[in-house]
Amino acid sequence: MTTDLTEAAIAILRANDRGDHTVPTSSGLYPAQWNWDSCLVALGFAEFDPDRAWTEIETLFDGQWPDGMVPHILFHGDDSSYFPNAAIWQAGPGQRSSGITQPPVAATIIRHLFERFGVQRSRPHIRLLAPKLLAWHRWFYTARDPDGTGLVAILHPWESGMDNSPVWDAALAAVEPGPSVAHLRRDTAFADAAVRPTAAEYDRYINLVLAFRAEGYRADRLYGMAPFRVADVGFNAMLQRANRDLRFLLDMIDDTAGVAEVDRMISNTRAALEARWDQAEGFYLSVDTRTGQAIRQPGIGGLLPLYADPMTASRHPALITRLERWLDQVEIAVPSFEPGRPEFEPRRYWRGPIWLVVNWMLIDGLKRNGRPDLARRIRRDSLAVVARSGFREYFDPTTGEGLGGTDFSWTAAMVLLLAGLKD
Ligand code: GLC
């Protein structure tokens, strides 16, 4: 289906295309390749340029570290408009990347490409990528869950992809701020400071980077020393969904040992995620694994078990009721944090605004959980808000105002994907 909106989306992806990878926006705000952005952007390319979709993912995996980690940023060109850039990260000789990771959605996206393009065209790509995916997932379960709890930890809010969610507030407050870096920030030159993370948060983000840099980003050291360590429900839900999709891909290429290994990941994480359901709260709660404290702030990640597992809604009808209550309090679906809470800020980044990539995950999860009606509402809202406010980075759920970066790649990709979906 081609419309003015989908044509505009294709033009944005073409404009942000740097040949073998896509930048999130051409404005200078994010002049590099981001991990989950790239994967989600491939879903958009899949709608009009299959080869380019595969290239996007293959470039990302060319940046995989020898230990299996796939960095959250790969710096390919001039990164001077971004802080912290490659020169600050100092990830290692010849290594132009960050030293942390991001939500592992790649296996899910690769399965989607397979379903879109079929066995013939996909098999060579899957043969190339599946072992790399397995190495990344294995890295998660060794480096980030050394005690075998079934839940992997993030060591930096940036790893979550939901940088300044209130879910991290208490854990981040416990991190030493270090010297102020407010004057080094570049993001506020491209977007209003009122819709970005605060200076106090930025100082801590950078101090964490410097602490990890001092350890040479060695996976065997970071878990123990990290001043920030959270087993996040949203992150683990994305990993669990990716585990299930990775199992499918390994099975397709007859890797029986790989399938058995991933089966263990799936069953451990299934049990551990389920143990994070809090009956009294009617929500899944993440946990600060340094203090052992459950985190009670209801961020959108707590809804993502719907995307991880098609049986979530039947086990916990309260979760969908909760989502419906969120939607009753806003104009447009879906806020990234529970409206009505003191921490809810409808214009500030991950403290309330709508992000289309998470909307897609919920749409997908709700369909699999027997709620196509709710999925339809979110799909329609997502397309309508872009039609009204442009291809912005995120949107105010109370007014529909577009916020942050402009002509955003993953917003364009989601429009192409959602426009092509059936209700
Ligand atoms: C911000 C977002 C993150 C995204 C990145 C690039 O840091 O919080 O999720 O990957 O921008 O778009």
Side-chain angles (χ1 to χ4, degrees), residues 24 30 34 36-37 102 161-163 349-350 355 393 408 410:
Y30 304 117
W34 262 257
W36 74 325
D37 293 61
Q102 248 192 340
M162 305 186 184
D163 308 8
Y349 222 38
W350 291 94
W355 293 76
E393 188 177 5
F408 228 77
W410 69 10

Side-chain angles (χ1 to χ4, degrees), residues 78-412:
D78 176 11
D79 59 11
S80 55
S81 67
Y82 183 75
F83 175 79
N85 61 9
I88 304 286
W89 283 96
Q90 296 172 12
Q95 192 67 262
R96 284 177 48 87
S97 74
S98 70
I100 57 174
T101 194
Q102 248 192 340
V105 296
T108 302
I109 274 52
I110 292 168
R111 179 172 180 179
H112 176 98
L113 298 185
F114 159 74
E115 277 163 7
R116 191 90 173 74
F117 307 139
V119 177
Q120 295 288 51
R121 285 169 82 180
S122 307
R123 202 191 292 273
H125 298 286
I126 293 175
R127 280 202 188 287
L128 174 81
L129 289 167
K132 299 182 181 195
L133 288 167
L134 180 58
W136 190 21
H137 286 223
R138 187 183 293 139
W139 173 85
F140 271 116
Y141 285 95
T142 47
R144 297 307 182 79
D145 182 23
D147 302 323
T149 66
L151 294 179
V152 307
I154 54 167
L155 307 184
H156 195 300
W158 285 343
E159 293 198 311
S160 72
M162 305 186 184
D163 308 8
N164 68 337
S165 166
V167 174
W168 325 128
D169 283 359
L172 193 63
V175 173
E176 287 292 323
S180 171
V181 295
H183 59 294
L184 297 171
R185 278 177 77 170
R186 294 281 175 271
D187 58 319
T188 44
F190 299 100
D192 178 4
V195 304
R196 299 280 310 171
T198 63
E201 283 161 342
Y202 244 85
D203 292 347
R204 289 175 168 83
Y205 296 157
I206 300 304
N207 203 31
L208 284 171
V209 170
L210 298 180
F212 300 157
R213 186 175 88 176
E215 299 291 337
Y217 303 105
R218 280 185 46 181
D220 57 340
R221 298 225 180 116
L222 295 200
Y223 185 89
M225 59 68 69
F228 175 98
R229 204 174 67 205
V230 173
D232 175 48
V233 167
F235 195 92
N236 280 278
M238 289 187 262
L239 175 61
Q240 179 69 344
R241 170 63 183 271
N243 283 336
R244 292 177 41 231
D245 294 323
L246 175 56
R247 185 197 192 282
F248 174 91
L249 298 172
L250 291 167
D251 193 37
M252 215 188 104
I253 57 166
D254 300 317
D255 180 350
T256 42
V259 167
E261 185 177 349
V262 175
D263 271 338
R264 287 190 293 276
M265 298 174 185
I266 293 173
S267 64
N268 290 344
T269 298
R270 179 177 293 136
L273 256 183
E274 210 31 50
R276 298 313 308 158
W277 175 256
D278 187 291
Q279 191 59 36
E281 296 270 358
F283 209 67
Y284 285 92
L285 302 183
S286 301
V287 57
D288 179 332
T289 66
R290 285 182 56 89
T291 62
Q293 291 287 317
I295 300 175
R296 294 183 182 276
Q297 272 77 6
I300 199 161
L303 298 171
L304 289 181
L306 290 165
Y307 163 80
D309 175 358
M311 302 307 287
T312 308
S314 56
R315 281 195 307 274
H316 305 302
L319 194 60
I320 304 253
T321 313
R322 185 76 168 257
L323 168 59
E324 288 175 319
R325 265 204 281 136
W326 287 25
L327 298 189
D328 287 344
Q329 295 175 69
V330 292
E331 286 298 314
I332 304 151
V334 177
S336 49
F337 189 74
E338 182 156 282
R341 296 262 170 170
E343 305 92 335
F344 175 71
E345 291 183 71
R347 302 177 77 248
R348 202 189 279 279
Y349 222 38
W350 291 94
R351 304 181 77 85
I354 302 162
W355 293 76
L356 257 50
V357 290
V358 191
N359 277 10
W360 167 67
M361 291 178 194
L362 287 174
I363 290 167
D364 183 275
L366 287 164
K367 282 186 173 171
R368 289 167 198 261
N369 273 280
R371 287 302 303 268
D373 56 321
L374 212 46
R376 194 176 311 126
R377 149 118 204 245
I378 299 173
R379 175 175 168 266
R380 289 186 180 165
D381 279 10
S382 303
L383 292 170
V385 80
V386 177
R388 177 169 146 201
S389 303
F391 291 82
R392 300 298 296 270
E393 188 177 5
Y394 46 95
F395 303 88
D396 181 333
T398 64
T399 63
E401 180 190 358
L403 299 163
T406 50
D407 290 351
F408 228 77
S409 297
W410 69 10
T411 304

